[in-house]
Amino acid sequence: MSAERTVATPAAQPRAADHAIATASVIPPRGAGSSRRTSIGRGTSARRSSALPLVAVDCSAALLGTVLLTDPQRHPLLVVLLLSAVTGLNARAALYRPLAAPSALDELPSLAWQTALSWGAAGLVAASSTALSPLSLTTLCTAAALQSVLCCAGRGALYWWRRRATLRRPRPALVVGPGAAARRVAEAVLRHPRAGVRPVGIVSDAPAERTESEGAELPMLCTPEEMRRAVIQNAVRTVLVVGPTPGPEQIGWLRTLSGSGCDVWAIDATQPPGYDAPGRQSRSGQLAGFPCRALLPAGRRHFSVSKRALDLVTSGVLLLLISPVLLACAAVLRATDGPGVIFRQERIGRGGRPFTLLKFRTHRPADPHEAATRWTVAGEAQMSRFCQFLRRTSLDELPQLWNVFRGDMSLVGPRPERPYFVGKFSQTYPGYAERHRMPTGITGLAQIQGLRGDTSIEDRCRFDNAYIDSWSFWQDLCILLRTAASLVRPTGS
């Protein structure tokens, strides 16, 4: 699970073809998305549409639906259960996911189904609990129908208000993609002001396309400097990404823009509305008749609270359970290798912030400079048998649970690296610095794929970014389970 002994191999050299097929992933903002700032490097003026008004509408409709219940039936426990079921099921059905042109009528079938499930669950709990009064089938059906109508009406009013606001002040947008397709989308959006978006420029990393767009109304932006100037001067809040897959340079721009607070939308100019791929229907919206979907950054998935809760509880419990193992390892190390059983080393964590990583000392570098700038330390092959055992079983990583408990790192995430190599790899491998969008971890997606030891840095970078872009709480649990399984057949760190 350690990256300490990783060696960059010839196979790890960056290849343009690999980056060309990378997916357009985005990163979370460093600060609040609603704040107004003046520099793209520190965030632009970009207001992300919050899901809180939709949650408030759904909860209000659920509370109004309980007016059909009698006083004994309107138990606080039942109301709390109903609100939790409504918001949870709606979130699972992606009813809080942003859409470019939302419609309450389009959402009504899904809202009605989730509402029926919520009231059905409430009815089952009421029937099986002695503390609650049972609900008749007629009451359940009537309450679910009333809540569905109220929820649809409330969402319709909210969407109407938002459309009026965007019509008065359309959101400045950049269109990213190949010149011809991007111009086609930009012109279509300009012809439909009801979309609430006003393209102000086209971003392309193909210099040849600049000549094709001469005389066009919108400027063609081909360098990061031009894009940065357009974002600042026009207060860009929205980015429209037109397929096919953006190139590596554009992917970096998208991450920068999203990190600055911009909403990033993927526009499909080839597929019919409602489809991300042939034969696979999804909840996606439309913008000027083009299918679109939001590219959600990791920060929008609210990983901070749930991920930190998992880290705090799991690391705290494990520290208590394995404290005898920690004491035994420390005692044996002290007896066999002398004082100084804990190895401390500076690593780079989330946002590029340094922290002190803890491990059991399995080797002694000649000096701090050697420890900070060399992959393999001189004399490492002459480690004692117990130190080799700690390395082979990854027991030398156990003190990092204290780093997790303190909040320096997470249980799951990209492995932290030393500052010297972070700077070196950031210059060599595009996207390496993007690994620091999320807290670093003891294990991660790259590690369970066997990318430990003398493996490709480029492959690690790709897996780490893929993990961040597709993060979910369930994915963290799966990685932890697969890591635990790998400890049964240790291969070393």
Side-chain angles (χ1 to χ4, degrees), residues 405-459:
F405 189 78
R406 289 183 52 187
D408 297 330
M409 55 192 297
S410 175
L411 289 171
V412 182
R415 282 295 296 169
E417 193 44 77
R418 288 162 282 180
Y420 172 81
F421 291 103
V422 168
K424 181 178 179 180
F425 293 152
S426 297
Q427 296 177 357
T428 306
Y429 304 100
Y432 185 87
E434 306 297 338
R435 299 165 66 254
H436 300 111
R437 295 175 278 160
M438 182 178 279
T440 54
I442 297 179
T443 185
L445 182 63
Q447 281 65 46
I448 64 173
Q449 297 294 330
L451 293 173
R452 300 180 293 177
D454 299 344
T455 54
S456 168
I457 300 298
E458 180 187 8
D459 289 346

Side-chain angles (χ1 to χ4, degrees), residues 45-68:
S45 171
R47 292 181 307 201
R48 296 190 186 275
S49 56
S50 172
L52 291 180
L54 293 176
V55 175
V57 167
D58 293 345
C59 291
S60 300
L63 291 175
L64 291 174
T66 61
V67 299
L68 299 177

Side-chain angles (χ1 to χ4, degrees), residues 22-34:
T23 57
S25 56
V26 292
I27 64 176
R30 292 179 179 270
S34 59

Side-chain angles (χ1 to χ4, degrees), residues 27-33 35 37 41-43 48 258-261 350-353 433-434 436-437:
I27 64 176
R30 292 179 179 270
S35 59
R37 306 167 199 167
R42 301 169 63 182
R48 296 190 186 275
S258 182
S260 303
R350 183 183 183 185
R353 291 184 292 271
E434 306 297 338
H436 300 111
R437 295 175 278 160

Side-chain angles (χ1 to χ4, degrees), residues 43-286:
T44 60
S45 171
R47 292 181 307 201
R48 296 190 186 275
S49 56
S50 172
L52 291 180
L54 293 176
V55 175
V57 167
D58 293 345
C59 291
S60 300
L63 291 175
L64 291 174
T66 61
V67 299
L68 299 177
L69 307 181
T70 62
D71 289 337
Q73 291 174 333
R74 202 180 300 116
H75 194 279
L77 179 60
L78 182 69
V79 174
V80 171
L81 172 64
L82 179 63
L83 293 178
S84 301
V86 166
T87 54
L89 289 174
N90 285 353
R92 187 175 181 84
L95 289 171
Y96 299 132
R97 184 175 300 172
L99 293 177
S103 170
L105 288 178
D106 291 341
E107 295 175 340
L108 181 56
S110 182
L111 285 171
W113 174 244
Q114 310 308 322
T115 301
L117 290 178
S118 302
W119 278 99
L124 289 176
V125 172
S128 59
S129 174
T130 56
L132 302 177
S133 299
L135 305 176
S136 66
L137 180 61
T138 302
T139 301
L140 290 174
C141 294
T142 306
L146 176 61
Q147 179 181 329
S148 299
V149 172
L150 292 173
C151 189
C152 182
R155 282 176 171 249
L158 178 62
Y159 294 153
W160 175 83
W161 181 83
R162 285 181 175 177
R163 283 194 295 270
R164 290 290 302 271
T166 54
L167 281 174
R168 289 193 300 268
R169 298 184 61 182
R171 294 165 294 174
L174 290 179
V175 183
V176 180
R183 284 197 304 276
R184 175 166 157 257
V185 170
E187 292 169 358
V189 173
L190 286 172
R191 290 194 300 268
H192 294 80
R194 291 178 61 86
V197 177
R198 177 174 57 87
V200 296
I202 297 174
V203 179
S204 175
D205 59 358
E209 292 179 353
R210 180 187 292 272
T211 59
E212 298 177 6
S213 64
E214 289 180 355
E217 182 180 353
L218 297 177
M220 182 71 73
L221 312 175
C222 296
T223 65
E225 291 73 18
E226 294 174 340
M227 180 200 69
R228 191 174 295 108
R229 190 181 308 114
V231 169
I232 296 174
Q233 292 177 350
N234 296 279
V236 170
R237 304 175 183 176
T238 304
V239 180
L240 308 178
V241 183
V242 183
T245 305
E249 188 68 25
Q250 291 177 348
I251 291 175
W253 296 351
L254 294 178
R255 284 172 172 160
T256 301
L257 288 169
S258 182
S260 303
C262 293
D263 287 311
V264 182
W265 298 86
I267 305 295
D268 194 336
T270 59
Q271 296 295 336
Y275 289 84
D276 286 331
R280 185 186 67 178
Q281 192 166 7
S282 68
R283 172 176 159 81
S284 58
Q286 58 83 24

